[in-house]
Amino acid sequence: MTLAIDRTAQDLLFREARTANAFTGEPVSDEQLQEIYDLVKFGPTAFNQTPLRIVLVRSDEARARLLPHMSDGNRDKTGAAPLVAILAADNEFHEELPELLPHFPQAKDLFFAERPVREQSAGMNAALQAAYFIVGVRAAGLAAGPMTGFDHAGVQKEFLDGDHTPLMVVNIGRPDPESGFPRSPRLGYDAVVTSV
């Protein structure tokens, strides 16, 4: 085996992990979310930027504000999930670059002075961080149900502002062992990888 983590960890993070559509009633604590974030914040991004922003939808009132913006197929499972997170990209991430990239603080103005450039970079790097976040949820023994089926403009207006672009809504919790689908096929190595 050439991988550095053992098969149990590989299974937990990838092979046995599934997108969750139903959960047990077990709550997800702030401490669990803190540990997940404190692990996944170390995932690499361009210029060490950290554009991902996470809004935890915990209260019944906030859940009631979110549900009308979810697509029909996602509304019920979002309503029943122990925890829901809105993952968004902060398009003003460049303001933090002097702190996050101390050896090259001029990157803030040199590369990210224009809003369209920031939006493109924020979207790509926040999506990368969102993937780390989902793997971190799995590392905590939980499951994630990421969804892009929602009214993005409505969620932005209800929970964010003009400087933050919603990327996905993620249901989080301990998966219900009685629910779920069998593993769907994946493309093999030869269908994806080429050498030049």
Side-chain angles (χ1 to χ4, degrees):
M1 183 175 85
T2 59
L3 298 177
I5 59 173
D6 67 25
R7 189 164 185 90
T8 301
Q10 294 169 33
D11 288 344
L12 176 69
L13 299 178
F14 296 101
R15 286 192 202 95
E16 299 299 325
R18 299 288 187 279
T19 297
N21 289 303
F23 301 90
T24 67
E26 184 178 331
V28 179
S29 70
D30 288 332
E31 292 77 18
Q32 286 172 299
L33 263 292
Q34 176 83 47
E35 287 186 26
I36 290 166
Y37 181 75
D38 285 343
L39 174 64
V40 303
K41 70 183 179 185
F42 293 109
T45 59
F47 293 97
N48 201 37
Q49 61 185 270
T50 307
L52 181 68
R53 296 296 179 267
I54 303 167
V55 177
L56 299 178
V57 181
R58 286 204 176 273
S59 71
D60 292 340
E61 179 269 332
R63 186 88 54 125
R65 289 169 39 216
L66 175 62
L67 291 179
H69 300 292
M70 300 304 296
S71 66
D72 290 343
N74 292 332
R75 191 169 296 123
D76 288 345
K77 57 188 172 183
T78 300
L83 179 63
V84 180
I86 300 168
L87 305 189
D90 181 356
N91 296 305
E92 298 300 313
F93 71 89
H94 69 305
E95 296 294 343
E96 299 157 346
L97 284 181
E99 175 189 348
L100 297 174
L101 202 65
H103 63 281
F104 189 28
Q106 60 271 33
K108 171 186 179 251
D109 298 315
L110 188 62
F111 295 108
F112 301 109
E114 301 295 326
R115 175 72 180 232
V117 173
R118 289 198 305 274
E119 288 178 354
Q120 189 272 339
S121 189
M124 181 173 54
N125 285 281
L128 183 60
Q129 288 187 286
Y132 299 143
F133 179 77
I134 291 166
V135 173
V137 167
R138 292 174 172 184
L142 302 171
M147 300 166 290
T148 57
F150 61 93
D151 174 5
H152 288 237
V155 168
Q156 181 179 35
K157 183 177 179 183
E158 192 70 41
F159 293 95
L160 304 165
D161 60 31
D163 289 332
H164 295 81
T165 304
L167 300 173
M168 66 185 70
V169 174
V170 183
N171 294 332
I172 303 168
R174 195 151 314 276
D176 179 352
E178 302 301 317
S179 70
F181 303 101
R183 165 76 73 199
S184 296
R186 298 296 195 269
L187 293 176
Y189 181 89
D190 291 337
V192 174
V193 180
T194 57
S195 295
V196 293

